[in-house]
Amino acid sequence: MRSSALDKGIRTGVIFGIVIVTMFLIGFTVAGAGLVGKFFGASSSYSTPSLVYFVIFMILIGAWAGSSASTRPLVEADTFKYAATTGVSAGLISGLFAAVIGFIFGTLSANRIDPRTYLPSVSPESIRMFLFNQNALTGSLMLLVLLTASGLAGAALSFFLRNSDRVKSGARKASDSVSGIVQSQRVSSVVNNPYSRYVFLFIVAAVLIVLPRTWGGYWNYVFGTVGIYIILGLGLNIITGWAGQLVIGYVAFFAIGAYTFALLTAPEPHHLTWNFWLALGIAVLVSALAGLLIGLPILNLRGDYLAIVTLGFAEIIRILLKSDLMTPYTAGPRGIRDIAGPSLLGKSFLSDVDFMYLIILAVLVVTFLANRLQNSRTGKAWYAINLDETVARATGVNAFTSKLLALSLSAGIAGLAGVLFASRNQFTGPDDHALMVSINVICLVIVGGIGNIPGIFLGAFALKGLPEILRETESFRLLIFGVLLIVMMRLRPEGFLPAKRPELEKASAQNTLEKEAQS
Amino acid sequence: MTTCIETKKVSKIFGGLTAVNSVDLVVPEHCIASIIGPNGAGKTTLFNCISGYYVPEEGQILFYGTPIQGSPTYMVASMGIARTYQNIRLFGDMTAIENVMLGQYPRFKASWVDAVLSTSRERNEEKQAVQEGRRLLKFVGLEGLGDHLARNLPYGAQRRLEIARALANKPRLLLLDEPTAGMNPQETDKMTHFIRSLRDEVGITIVLIEHDMNVVMGISDQITVLDYGTKIAEGKPKEIQSNQRVIEAYLGPDVTSLTKKYQLRKQQRYDAQR
């Protein structure tokens, strides 16, 4: 009879072994070591990271394998022997995988065969690092030993954390004291104090004013993009998150906003150099109108027609912008240059800091708008249509006009984002408006938590800000997105910050009580 | 007595199937009318015609004298016809009180611009809606459950919440599609009392579809029987109980002989006992 501990360990080990092999083949071992190095403060992000960081990286993976293999058994007693068996076997098996692949590639490179012909990411440096700068045999044996030991260590660590009374009581004490502080009279009086809200807002405002001045042009650019995507996410959230109508070609409205603004303010091709704010207003209105016109023939239907129609619409817009037919009017594939920046009272604000302020202002305005709409009568009607359109109609909601309003508001907000985008780059071309923009916006809304405003902020930072911060992993961006989406679907299917409904009855009851107490 | 809802020769045809076949129905104001009939008789289809989901191919539907057939559902709802569903259809991911507030949708005017600017109209209406919501929740016995998601409420509470949502629009006509389906005798009893009190205290006209004959015979002022889309009988509960066609529709055409046989057996047994 096979021991179930060994069985479990082997199964986990195989999974982790495959993961290690894959990481090695796509070159992620080097990037991972670089990430560890960054965590410890190593600066150089493009040269090969030091070997120490790679060892730490492998130990972390081994420990992860060990601890995930040695979770509490369902049937058997939770003994140290069980944990150790699973941990060691998981580490050993994953180490075996690593050792075999290391040995193969070590031998290949010793015989001067360059695997890069077939596997472009497996560079000689990465092989050398994978084998700890040793020869094939020693290196792969070292891998085996390292992974087995760290598997055991991970299993032992998780076993002790799980079973040690001291850890348990410590954790309980810590969580008790934290919740005690949160619930204590003093904290709640500070939190509920109306002035503390102003203090909080003041701190946020101060941070928002100071940060763009201090962190330099590069981060202004990165977070400007994040801000534009927050605006797009909040806009899409109205029609897709709240009203429940999937819009795939959302980028069409972004393009319409950007191009309307560009044509009105750029010297070419129409010699119009209108005022920034006037052009901004017109661009937003034109986008909203486009949403209205697209919605008119289809929003009476139910189902995913809107998704398909907007998808086609976005492609038509992009191809039209590229076509020879439109070149005299929209400058064709070359795009439009010298788009105006913001100006006020004759002074122009072109620096990256000023532009960051403009984007922050726009994000605040759109957030305010969305927040006010969310739980209003209109917002409730949207959500009702989302949940059950038939019943919403029977409670007196005019589903058609509600959806139309949602779509044109969404489109107008996308137009605003388009204006900011075009004005910041002082250039816009057909390639800025590819379908990938729409997909990114849909992704960030779903990852963050559909229908929830803070969730969209989080989603935008995660999908647009993180890849910039984690530069080492640039070529693995899609891989990491994929992993992120899978993890999210498994752990938080409603998004990282799912939407919550307000507690209206409680609030109203409290109001009544307070009034009675006063009178 | 004023007529609340009247259908004149209403027919609804799906392809080759005549689901409702020229049905005449007159329901006076402040009256509880029941529609009964075997499965597939066209009861719910008739409801769907009245509430505007279906446009009848023929005939007229008059609500206080105004023709409403062909009007969109939301218009019919704002005119004061509310309904519940055979299988409960609440907005599950909204809280109970939000469901009731949504029921009041046509009574308020605040637009999205009011919401963004937070005008006094918006704030007043919102306050009124919450207060009315709390009152209605209390009325149907769900006080204190208002902040629970509708889908987390127990079955009976969901039924009552659906009625509260229907009442929120202050309807003049309430269509109840099997309000006691899936309830135990005690719950059914409570629901029956509740429906009666709706008529007596709130003064609404009620049309209900129901399969529980105890309920139907207990609370109806008038009963209409449908079979294969056609009206086969109409009258007071007593008249319907003894109507031969109704018994046949429910139990099959041979029922006369069956009843005779049964009565004969009973007589024989009675005689034997003596």
Side-chain angles (χ1 to χ4, degrees), chain A residues 372 377 390 398 501 505 508, chain B residues 53 98 108 110 116 134 146:
Chain A
R372 278 282 169 86
R377 176 172 172 267
T390 312
N398 186 344
R501 304 307 299 170
E505 189 186 28
S508 158
Chain B
Y53 286 148
E98 279 181 307
F108 292 122
V116 170
R134 284 177 64 199

Side-chain angles (χ1 to χ4, degrees), chain A residues 277 343-347 349:
Chain A
W277 302 100
S343 61
L344 196 63
L345 304 171
K347 255 180 86 180
F349 299 93

Side-chain angles (χ1 to χ4, degrees), chain B residues 172-187:
Chain B
R172 287 184 288 177
L173 171 66
L174 182 61
L175 308 171
L176 300 175
D177 200 341
E178 298 196 25
T180 67
M183 288 186 169
N184 65 27
Q186 284 82 20
E187 286 173 322

Side-chain angles (χ1 to χ4, degrees), chain B residues 7 39 85 92 106 115 162 170 178 198-199 211 224 238 246 249:
Chain B
T7 67
N39 288 329
Y85 298 83
E162 210 187 13
K170 298 208 192 315
E178 298 196 25
L198 280 182
R199 192 228 0 222
H211 280 301
T224 307
K238 274 273 159 53
V246 176

Side-chain angles (χ1 to χ4, degrees), chain A residues 302 368-369 372-373 375-385 387-399 402 405 409 494 501-510 512 515, chain B residues 53 73-74 77-78 81 83 85 89 91-95 97-98 101-103 105-106 108-112 115-118 122 125-127 130 134 137 142-147 149 165:
Chain A
R302 298 181 201 193
F368 175 79
L369 194 85
R372 278 282 169 86
L373 285 174
N375 290 317
S376 69
R377 176 172 172 267
T378 321
K380 280 198 201 80
W382 285 334
Y383 197 44
I385 293 170
L387 294 175
D388 192 335
E389 187 168 339
T390 312
V391 182
R393 284 172 194 237
T395 48
V397 176
N398 186 344
S402 290
L405 173 67
L409 280 176
E494 291 172 320
R501 304 307 299 170
E503 294 194 325
L504 296 168
E505 189 186 28
K506 202 169 143 195
S508 158
Q510 260 168 9
T512 324
K515 249 177 224 160
Chain B
Y53 286 148
T73 317
Y74 74 95
S78 5
I81 299 181
R83 68 170 294 178
Y85 298 83
R89 291 178 80 166
F91 301 117
D93 282 337
M94 286 193 194
T95 62
I97 197 165
E98 279 181 307
M101 285 166 75
L102 207 85
Y105 185 85
F108 292 122
K109 295 278 170 299
S111 69
W112 69 277
V116 170
L117 302 177
S118 186
E122 152 84 15
E125 285 186 2
E126 194 65 21
K127 211 185 212 169
V130 175
R134 284 177 64 199
L137 285 179
L142 295 177
E143 201 184 14
L145 293 175
D147 289 332
L149 288 188
R165 183 180 67 191

